[in-house]
Amino acid sequence: MTKIKNIVVLTGAGISAESGIKTFRDTGGLWEDYPVEQVATPQGYAADPDLVHRFYNARRKDLKTVKPNPAHEALARLEKGLIEKGGYMTLITQNVDDLHERGGSENIIHMHGELTSQWCTACQHKFYSQGEFTPKSICPKCDVAGKIRPDIVWFGEMPYRMDTIELAVMNCELFVSIGTSGAVYPAAGYVQMARSLGKQTLEINLERSEGSHHFHETRQGKAGKLVSVWVDEILNG
Ligand code: APR
């Protein structure tokens, strides 16, 4: 994998695990304590918006106690290094935390939304906040109460910026997946798209994922160490 200049990286909850953010499907993961259908579907939100706001308020509060780990920082280093070599990197994350931003990455696509973004469904205004919300919260733009929802893509909803993601996969030389179980589509299908277009593919994950067999190479272990090693290989290659 030498002299590769155009890379797409897809990340999942595993890259933030060493920062102290719970993954979803591992033992002790978030979906063990919180039924997905209650806190991560439009139907769950309609049934109990107070529960859903409290769930995301807690996740947002957690952000204040964590910091980026060496894997986030290595990806920021890779982005800068590739640009210096006349290349390009697109970072697609399924994560709703802000650790890639705080780790120094710039070209980030949050395909499943962001904890620090709120969405007023009355006027469509989206705004940044680290605060707490309730079913009675008022939109800072239109002043309507009760229409603010977390700007999170729930199950059954369309992920963000799919066109941009597909273009990036089409134009890359190497597609790399880090810290994701490969259980949720469309993200889980990007490796197959990349392969069908003749791209190189690499997976870095703690254990074999549901999609491991689609990759040319799988490296098993903690992202904090393996991502830095791989980034050095690319930048020194
Ligand atoms: N380093 C690398 N990989 C790790 C680490 C680590 N330190 N810790 C855990 N992992 C791996 C696990 O082995 C697992 O395969 O990260 C993966 C996390 O998988 P999930 O919990 O399923 O998270 P993710 O793939 O991001 O979930 C996708 O599902 O619930 C939805 O919207 C949510 O974006 C999320 C999507």
Side-chain angles (χ1 to χ4, degrees):
M1 288 190 191
T2 53
K3 296 200 171 68
I4 285 177
K5 285 190 182 169
N6 192 339
I7 300 177
V8 168
V9 175
L10 169 71
T11 63
I15 197 166
S16 295
E18 288 159 75
S19 293
I21 295 183
K22 280 189 176 186
T23 60
F24 296 99
R25 295 175 184 78
D26 293 307
T27 307
L30 275 175
W31 294 155
E32 269 184 14
D33 292 338
Y34 302 92
V36 178
E37 55 283 358
Q38 283 181 17
V39 299
T41 63
Q43 294 79 5
Y45 182 61
D48 193 345
D50 188 51
L51 172 80
V52 175
H53 274 297
R54 279 190 282 117
F55 175 78
Y56 290 102
N57 286 341
R59 307 279 78 73
R60 203 173 304 114
K61 196 174 167 195
D62 286 347
L63 292 183
K64 295 177 182 164
T65 65
V66 297
K67 52 185 201 316
N69 68 55
H72 298 103
E73 289 160 1
L75 291 182
R77 191 156 56 81
L78 179 62
E79 181 181 23
K80 287 181 186 64
L82 287 174
I83 290 170
E84 276 165 21
K85 287 172 186 269
Y88 196 67
M89 171 175 155
T90 304
L91 177 54
I92 304 161
T93 187
Q94 299 169 89
N95 298 345
V96 294
D97 65 52
D98 58 0
L99 293 179
H100 282 307
E101 283 85 349
R102 284 158 55 194
S105 290
E106 287 183 10
N107 185 25
I108 308 167
I109 298 176
H110 278 275
M111 66 181 293
H112 291 168
E114 292 173 74
L115 282 169
T116 52
S117 178
Q118 301 299 315
W119 172 14
C120 171
T121 56
C123 72
Q124 304 307 322
H125 178 54
K126 291 192 177 185
F127 58 97
Y128 177 89
S129 174
Q130 294 183 324
E132 296 198 343
F133 292 84
T134 74
K136 293 182 181 158
S137 292
I138 296 170
C139 173
K141 187 164 185 207
C142 71
D143 285 336
V144 170
K147 294 291 183 185
I148 307 271
R149 60 164 273 183
D151 189 10
I152 302 288
V153 177
W154 288 323
F155 286 93
E157 298 183 322
M158 189 70 86
Y160 294 147
R161 301 185 60 192
M162 305 247 296
D163 290 355
T164 311
I165 292 171
E166 286 174 18
L167 262 179
V169 174
M170 277 181 216
N171 289 319
C172 77
E173 294 160 271
L174 170 64
F175 174 85
V176 185
S177 171
I178 302 170
T180 174
S181 60
V184 175
Y185 284 80
Y190 291 138
V191 60
Q192 291 163 74
M193 181 191 296
R195 280 222 58 170
S196 70
L197 293 165
K199 317 298 182 185
Q200 285 296 307
T201 56
L202 167 68
E203 176 183 58
I204 298 176
N205 207 51
L206 191 59
E207 57 198 6
R208 281 188 70 79
S209 74
E210 293 185 27
S212 287
H213 58 284
H214 292 300
F215 290 84
H216 289 100
E217 183 188 353
T218 293
R219 299 186 185 183
Q220 271 180 254
K222 290 192 173 183
K225 181 169 180 203
L226 293 190
V227 175
S228 309
V229 170
W230 167 68
V231 165
D232 286 341
E233 283 170 25
I234 291 289
L235 292 180
N236 299 329

